[in-house]
Amino acid sequence: MKAFILDRYGKKQQLRLGDMPEPVPGPDDVLVEVAAAGLNPIDSKIRDGAFKLVLPYKTPLVLGHDLAGTVISVGANVRRFKVGDAVYARPRDGRIGAFAERIVVNESDLALKPGNISMAEAASIPLIGLTVWQALVERAQIKPGQKVLIHAGSGGVGTFAIQLAKHLGATVATTASAANAVMVKELGADVVIDYRSQNFEEELSGYDLVLHTLDATTLEKSLKVLKPGGKLISISGAPDPAFARSQGLNVVLRLVLRLLSAGIRRKAKHAGVEYSFLFMHADGGQLERITRLIEDGTIRPVVDRAFPFAQVNDALAYIDTGRAKGKVVVTLK
């Protein structure tokens, strides 16, 4: 089958279009013909070698963490899916590879595609949807009336998080450029902070949760807007010891991550708030719940651009600019 292959790690390394062996499903697996694949910053980071210590993939490697497509065969133990089903997924770590014509996905990572959106729109959802679900519902347990700050509201995670937080009954603030203010308000943001002309840490206070997706400086400033007992959840800050344990990292790496996150954990403790690092996990059951929210109109996908499959490298370059509004996808069908 055709796939875009990472032959070696390297900053902005180009992926090579080539042939890979046909994937063979195991008894608990589903073989999916990929119709569209979503792109995420983690694809660029893995390509660049930034995650070599914690996600030790061996090259040659096929990237791609989001997919939508059609089931073409199922393993002997699979009961929830059949040939011809339209599905979507974020495959679990160690089994990524959506930048390809076909992929094998564990049954428990997969869900039926929402019936009211296209394959391209569906491919934009799994990673960001699960990330936000696990942050807001699973970890923060957001309640009606609480106040949530979502950084980078016009980005992939931000566009989904605003909508889910509003559905959960929160008052939502977000940071965005003035050019994107209308867009994030339409998604449900109550307060929009123009990050170019305003300092969010001076404008906001008494928040229950901050969902952080940016740099270390923003992470530290976010402590100032939280009330005592509030939560700071980061998907791009320093990994904490809990993450190291969940990944089964060795003692040396656990110590390194403990040291890297020591500063923000100490400052959070001093401020009386809880800091945690979130690295999302695949979960088809949670994706089914997200499907229902999409089908009833509570959440809508936000896709900035759809590139043809042959332009995967161009799509990654666009992701690297940081200017995408919502998600970027590539289409095969």
Side-chain angles (χ1 to χ4, degrees):
M1 67 171 181
K2 293 297 183 183
F4 273 91
I5 303 160
L6 177 66
D7 290 308
R8 62 184 180 277
Y9 291 118
K11 189 74 172 177
K12 302 192 184 302
Q13 176 71 32
Q14 292 284 292
L15 307 185
R16 172 178 59 86
L17 180 61
D19 292 310
M20 290 291 283
E22 287 287 341
V24 179
D28 301 314
D29 295 331
V30 176
L31 179 61
V32 180
E33 183 175 34
V34 179
L39 287 84
N40 297 279
I42 191 173
D43 294 305
S44 297
K45 291 176 181 177
I46 292 176
R47 176 202 64 193
D48 295 347
F51 282 2
K52 281 193 292 186
L53 292 179
V54 295
L55 294 174
Y57 289 111
K58 294 181 180 179
T59 55
L61 167 69
V62 179
L63 297 172
H65 291 72
D66 280 322
L67 67 109
T70 304
V71 174
I72 51 178
S73 71
V74 298
N77 297 336
V78 173
R79 297 291 179 266
R80 293 171 49 236
F81 303 97
K82 64 183 186 302
V83 173
D85 282 345
V87 294
Y88 70 151
R90 191 291 202 194
R92 64 188 56 185
D93 294 321
R95 301 190 65 178
I96 63 171
F99 300 161
E101 292 179 313
R102 288 169 288 282
I103 186 173
V104 165
V105 183
N106 186 280
E107 178 185 25
S108 63
D109 299 344
L110 204 61
L112 293 174
K113 180 187 79 69
N116 60 333
I117 61 175
S118 68
M119 286 287 189
E121 290 172 319
S124 76
I125 292 292
L127 186 143
I128 60 167
L130 291 170
T131 298
V132 172
W133 186 275
Q134 289 162 22
L136 272 58
V137 177
E138 195 171 65
R139 189 169 296 186
Q141 299 179 355
I142 291 300
K143 304 292 192 299
Q146 291 189 313
K147 295 165 63 177
V148 176
L149 167 60
I150 296 161
H151 283 297
S154 64
V157 169
T159 54
F160 194 100
I162 291 169
Q163 295 179 82
L164 183 58
K166 284 303 295 182
H167 170 66
L168 296 172
T171 296
V172 179
T174 192
T175 55
S177 67
N180 292 328
V182 172
M183 170 190 170
V184 295
K185 285 181 180 177
E186 289 176 347
L187 292 172
D190 300 290
V191 180
V192 181
I193 303 296
D194 180 355
Y195 67 84
R196 290 194 174 104
S197 63
Q198 296 175 285
N199 296 317
F200 72 90
E201 72 277 16
E202 296 174 1
E203 302 287 339
L204 306 174
S205 62
Y207 275 65
D208 298 277
L209 172 70
V210 176
L211 180 57
H212 172 261
T213 57
L214 299 171
D215 55 28
T217 300
T218 304
L219 180 66
E220 187 170 330
K221 288 179 179 178
S222 295
L223 293 171
K224 298 178 181 178
V225 311
L226 288 162
K227 69 181 185 182
K231 295 180 180 180
L232 172 57
I233 298 176
S234 177
I235 64 171
S236 64
D240 57 14
F243 166 77
R245 290 192 299 271
S246 70
Q247 294 296 110
L249 302 181
N250 63 45
V251 174
V252 174
L253 285 176
R254 289 188 189 193
L255 178 60
V256 169
L257 295 187
R258 179 178 289 275
L259 292 173
L260 285 174
S261 64
I264 188 65
R265 288 188 291 112
R266 182 176 61 252
K267 289 172 182 175
K269 185 177 181 180
H270 184 262
V273 305
E274 176 186 326
Y275 169 77
S276 64
F277 176 81
L278 174 66
F279 193 83
M280 60 75 59
H281 58 272
D283 191 315
Q286 291 180 354
L287 205 51
E288 287 177 349
R289 297 175 73 177
I290 290 168
T291 295
R292 291 194 287 271
L293 293 177
I294 294 171
E295 289 185 333
D296 71 14
T298 298
I299 290 176
R300 63 177 176 88
V302 180
V303 176
D304 181 306
R305 291 182 65 180
F307 289 77
F309 183 59
Q311 296 178 16
V312 163
N313 284 305
D314 294 332
L316 281 170
Y318 184 56
I319 284 282
D320 291 341
T321 67
R323 294 196 295 267
K325 301 174 186 177
K327 286 291 294 287
V328 175
V329 300
V330 293
T331 56
L332 288 79
K333 300 290 182 181

